[in-house]
Amino acid sequence: MLNIPNTLAFIRLLLAPVMFFLLVDRDISILSSIHYTWLDYMAAFIFVIASATDFFDGYIARTFNQITTLGKILDPLADKMLTLAGFLGLMMLGRASEWAIFLIITRELFITGLRVSAVSQGLDIAASWMGKVKTVMQMIAIGFLLMEWPGGEILLWTAVALTLYSGYEYVRDFFKHTSVK
C-alpha cells in the first residue's frame, strides 16, 4: 500500500497546506519579519517540488506496475489540494481572478461527483489526456502567478478554458458509458 508513488502523493498532500500557509498567513509573528517576496519564493519552491512529485508518482506507478486503489484516490486528491491551495492563496492575495477560481473549483467539484457516480455504477473514468493537460496548465499558471511573472493572467484563463473543456469531455464520456440519460 505505501509504495513510492503513494508516498509521493502523500507528500504532495502535506505540502499543499504548507504552501497555502505561506501565502495567506503572512501576518503571524513567525512570518512577519520575512519580506513577502521571500514568502512567494518559498511557496513557489514548495509548489515546484510538489508538482514534480505529481509527475514522478504517475511515472513510477505506470512503469513499475505499482498502481493501487489507494493511489487512485490519493493522486487526484493531492493534485486538487495542491492546485486549490495555490489558486485560493493567489485569489486571497489579489493575484487571481475570483471568477476564474470559481469556475475551476466548480468544475473540479462537479467532475469529482460525476466520478463517484461512475464508480457507483462500476465504471472507472480515468483521467483523460486533456485532464492531464489541464492539470499541467493549471500548475504553470499558478507558478507564473506566484512569481508575478508577465502572462500569468493569460495562462490562468487558458487553464480555465482547458479545465472547462476537459470537464465537458468527462461529462460526454460519462453519458456515453452509463445508463444515466
Side-chain angles (χ1 to χ4, degrees):
M1 277 296 222
L2 206 55
N3 58 21
I4 292 172
N6 291 349
T7 301
L8 291 172
F10 187 71
I11 288 168
R12 197 160 62 257
L13 279 172
L14 296 176
L15 290 176
V18 173
M19 182 187 71
F20 187 69
F21 171 76
L22 290 171
L23 293 174
V24 302
D25 287 327
R26 296 171 171 218
D27 295 332
I28 66 167
S29 61
I30 194 169
L31 298 178
S32 63
S33 64
I34 303 171
H35 194 270
Y36 81 91
T37 55
W38 284 104
L39 295 173
D40 289 346
Y41 295 152
M42 286 187 272
F45 179 73
I46 289 170
F47 182 73
V48 167
I49 297 298
S51 296
T53 69
D54 183 33
F55 168 77
F56 286 111
D57 75 18
Y59 176 77
I60 293 168
R62 286 185 300 278
T63 303
F64 298 101
N65 196 27
Q66 294 186 358
I67 297 169
T68 64
T69 302
L70 178 62
K72 289 180 182 180
I73 295 167
L74 275 182
D75 183 59
L77 175 63
D79 289 348
K80 283 169 187 34
M81 280 186 62
L82 181 63
T83 55
L84 291 178
F87 282 137
L88 290 173
L90 289 163
M91 184 181 74
M92 293 173 73
L93 290 172
R95 295 187 201 166
S97 162
E98 293 88 350
W99 275 106
I101 306 314
F102 172 77
L103 291 170
I104 289 170
I105 291 172
T106 300
R107 180 268 188 209
E108 297 296 348
L109 292 172
F110 181 77
I111 297 305
T112 299
L114 195 70
R115 289 177 100 169
V116 168
S117 178
V119 167
S120 74
Q121 295 183 39
L123 299 172
D124 180 20
I125 301 180
S128 68
W129 183 81
M130 185 54 69
K132 293 177 188 302
V133 170
K134 173 265 310 179
T135 299
V136 169
M137 182 54 69
Q138 286 180 353
M139 290 179 173
I140 291 170
I142 290 169
F144 269 69
L145 292 166
L146 278 172
M147 297 305 294
E148 296 188 274
W149 289 340
E153 190 75 13
I154 292 168
L155 291 169
L156 173 61
W157 285 104
T158 302
V160 169
L162 290 172
T163 299
L164 295 176
Y165 182 75
S166 70
Y168 157 75
E169 283 187 341
Y170 275 110
V171 171
R172 181 194 66 206
D173 292 348
F174 175 78
F175 284 110
K176 194 183 296 182
H177 295 97
T178 66
S179 60
V180 178
K181 303 290 181 197

